[in-house]
Amino acid sequence: MKHLFNLFIIMISISNCVSFKDKENPGGNAGKAGNYFSDRVMDTRDIFTVTAIYGATAGLKAQLGPLGAGLFAQPGSLGHGLSLSNEVGLKSGELAYQNVSDFVFILGADSSSPSSTESLNRHELRKKQYASPFDHPPAYTRIGFAAALLVGIRVEVNVGELLDCLLGFASIDIYGDDIYLKNKKP
């Protein structure tokens, strides 16, 4: 367990090393080895969600698959630059501010996407942005919780993303999110 935690800390520490040039050539001129490494780092970052929540948010919920259970409200962005609550941290492979709307009254679901343009473009290409977790295959293997009263935390582990990460070392990509090797310009 200690080694897994150390690997997590290392991957978070080097998270800024994974660049995103453009949709046609995400890894730029990093070469096959560099792009393979970028995909492995992104797969590792997908496993964990650790974010801070703040703003008009309150409640407690457990997350199992695409459904949350409990009593929890996080209104997120209302559009036009108006946001009642914010979330920042590591979620779906991006270390960024996140637009998350999450309402649970006994049972409920959330929606998520990063707010920065570069993260949003990479998120879109990696198929990590979702308006409904029921349309997002990795959401079915989420386990975690969220708790907040004006400030709070969300912690999750995604066992499907762990499998995707481990199989990725053998170049097997079950979620189709390894974009760095696939989209090289000719």
Side-chain angles (χ1 to χ4, degrees):
M1 187 67 175
K2 179 182 174 187
H3 297 295
L4 184 60
F5 180 74
N6 289 339
L7 177 63
F8 174 68
I9 295 301
I10 290 168
M11 289 300 178
I12 297 302
S13 299
I14 61 174
S15 64
N16 292 332
C17 297
V18 181
S19 65
F20 184 76
K21 300 298 180 196
D22 57 54
K23 285 186 178 184
E24 289 78 34
N25 190 13
N29 297 321
K32 283 193 171 199
N35 288 331
Y36 174 84
F37 178 72
S38 294
D39 282 330
R40 301 297 62 80
V41 170
M42 293 304 295
D43 278 349
T44 302
R45 287 168 48 178
D46 289 338
I47 298 167
F48 303 100
T49 296
V50 180
T51 60
I53 306 165
Y54 58 95
T57 182
L60 177 65
K61 76 165 195 164
Q63 187 73 42
L64 185 58
L67 288 175
L71 185 59
F72 190 80
Q74 180 183 356
S77 176
L78 301 176
H80 307 293
L82 180 61
S83 184
L84 296 178
S85 65
N86 292 296
E87 192 163 331
V88 63
L90 180 66
K91 184 175 178 70
S92 298
E94 297 296 333
L95 190 58
Y97 283 92
Q98 304 282 337
N99 294 323
V100 177
S101 293
D102 193 352
F103 293 99
V104 177
F105 182 72
I106 301 175
L107 289 176
D110 61 355
S111 65
S112 176
S113 68
S115 37
S116 76
T117 305
E118 179 180 322
S119 293
L120 186 59
N121 287 338
R122 179 168 47 197
H123 224 57
E124 203 173 88
L125 193 57
R126 295 184 71 234
K127 302 174 195 138
K128 300 295 179 183
Q129 180 177 345
Y130 59 93
S132 167
F134 300 104
D135 298 333
H136 184 62
Y140 286 88
T141 54
R142 293 165 56 192
I143 300 168
F145 73 93
L149 182 57
L150 300 179
V151 296
I153 188 168
R154 179 184 309 270
V155 176
E156 294 179 7
V157 174
N158 192 314
V159 293
E161 292 286 8
L162 174 62
L163 180 62
D164 182 54
C165 178
L166 294 174
L167 292 174
F169 286 102
S171 297
I172 299 169
D173 183 21
I174 61 174
Y175 285 137
D177 59 358
D178 291 352
I179 62 170
Y180 289 94
L181 282 176
K182 291 180 182 172
N183 292 306
K184 291 297 288 179
K185 283 183 180 175

Coordinates of all heavy atoms in Angstrom, one line a residue, residues 51-59 72 86 146-154:
T51 N -10.5 16.1 -4.6 CA -10.8 17.5 -4.9 C -11.3 18.2 -3.6 O -11.9 17.6 -2.7 CB -11.9 17.7 -6.0 OG1 -13.1 17.0 -5.6 CG2 -11.4 17.1 -7.3
A52 N -11.1 19.5 -3.6 CA -11.7 20.4 -2.6 C -12.9 21.1 -3.2 O -12.9 21.5 -4.3 CB -10.7 21.5 -2.2
I53 N -14.0 21.1 -2.4 CA -15.2 21.7 -2.9 C -15.5 22.9 -2.0 O -15.3 22.9 -0.8 CB -16.4 20.7 -2.6 CG1 -16.1 19.4 -3.3 CG2 -17.7 21.3 -3.1 CD1 -17.0 18.3 -2.9
Y54 N -15.9 24.0 -2.6 CA -16.2 25.2 -1.8 C -17.3 26.0 -2.5 O -17.5 25.9 -3.7 CB -15.0 26.1 -1.5 CG -14.3 26.5 -2.8 CD1 -14.6 27.8 -3.3 CD2 -13.4 25.7 -3.4 CE1 -13.9 28.2 -4.5 CE2 -12.7 26.2 -4.6 CZ -13.0 27.4 -5.1 OH -12.3 27.9 -6.2
G55 N -18.0 26.8 -1.7 CA -19.2 27.6 -2.2 C -20.5 27.1 -1.6 O -20.5 26.6 -0.5
A56 N -21.5 27.3 -2.3 CA -22.9 26.9 -1.8 C -23.1 25.4 -2.0 O -23.7 24.9 -2.9 CB -23.9 27.7 -2.6
T57 N -22.4 24.7 -1.1 CA -22.5 23.2 -1.2 C -22.6 22.6 0.2 O -22.0 23.2 1.2 CB -21.3 22.6 -1.9 OG1 -21.3 21.2 -2.0 CG2 -20.0 23.0 -1.2
A58 N -23.4 21.6 0.4 CA -23.6 21.0 1.7 C -24.1 19.5 1.5 O -24.7 19.2 0.5 CB -24.6 21.8 2.5
G59 N -23.7 18.7 2.5 CA -24.2 17.4 2.5 C -23.2 16.3 2.6 O -22.0 16.6 2.8
F72 N -26.9 15.4 -0.6 CA -25.8 16.3 -1.0 C -26.2 17.2 -2.1 O -27.0 16.8 -3.0 CB -24.6 15.4 -1.6 CG -23.3 16.1 -1.8 CD1 -22.5 16.3 -0.8 CD2 -23.0 16.4 -3.1 CE1 -21.3 17.0 -1.0 CE2 -21.8 17.1 -3.3 CZ -20.9 17.4 -2.3
N86 N -17.6 25.6 -6.5 CA -16.4 25.3 -7.3 C -15.8 24.0 -6.7 O -15.9 23.7 -5.6 CB -15.4 26.4 -7.3 CG -15.9 27.6 -8.0 OD1 -16.1 27.6 -9.2 ND2 -16.1 28.7 -7.2
A146 N -18.3 12.1 -0.8 CA -18.1 13.6 -0.8 C -18.8 14.1 0.4 O -19.9 13.6 0.8 CB -18.7 14.2 -2.0
A147 N -18.2 15.1 1.1 CA -18.8 15.7 2.3 C -18.5 17.2 2.2 O -17.3 17.6 1.9 CB -18.2 15.1 3.5
A148 N -19.4 18.0 2.6 CA -19.2 19.4 2.5 C -20.2 20.2 3.4 O -21.4 19.8 3.5 CB -19.2 20.0 1.1
L149 N -19.8 21.3 3.9 CA -20.7 22.3 4.5 C -19.9 23.6 4.2 O -19.1 24.1 4.9 CB -20.9 22.1 6.0 CG -21.8 23.1 6.7 CD1 -23.2 23.1 6.0 CD2 -21.9 22.8 8.1
L150 N -20.2 24.2 3.1 CA -19.6 25.4 2.5 C -18.2 25.1 1.9 O -17.8 25.6 0.9 CB -19.6 26.6 3.4 CG -20.9 27.1 3.8 CD1 -20.8 28.3 4.8 CD2 -21.8 27.5 2.7
V151 N -17.5 24.3 2.6 CA -16.2 23.7 2.1 C -16.2 22.2 2.4 O -16.9 21.7 3.3 CB -14.9 24.3 2.8 CG1 -14.8 25.8 2.5 CG2 -14.9 24.1 4.3
G152 N -15.5 21.5 1.5 CA -15.6 20.0 1.7 C -14.6 19.3 0.8 O -13.7 19.9 0.3
I153 N -14.8 18.0 0.7 CA -13.8 17.2 0.0 C -14.6 16.1 -0.8 O -15.6 15.6 -0.4 CB -12.8 16.6 0.9 CG1 -11.7 15.9 0.2 CG2 -13.5 15.6 1.9 CD1 -10.5 15.5 1.0
R154 N -14.0 15.7 -1.9 CA -14.5 14.5 -2.7 C -13.3 13.6 -2.9 O -12.2 14.0 -3.3 CB -15.0 15.0 -4.1 CG -15.5 13.8 -4.9 CD -15.9 14.3 -6.3 NE -16.8 15.4 -6.3 CZ -18.1 15.3 -6.3 NH1 -18.7 14.1 -6.2 NH2 -18.9 16.4 -6.3

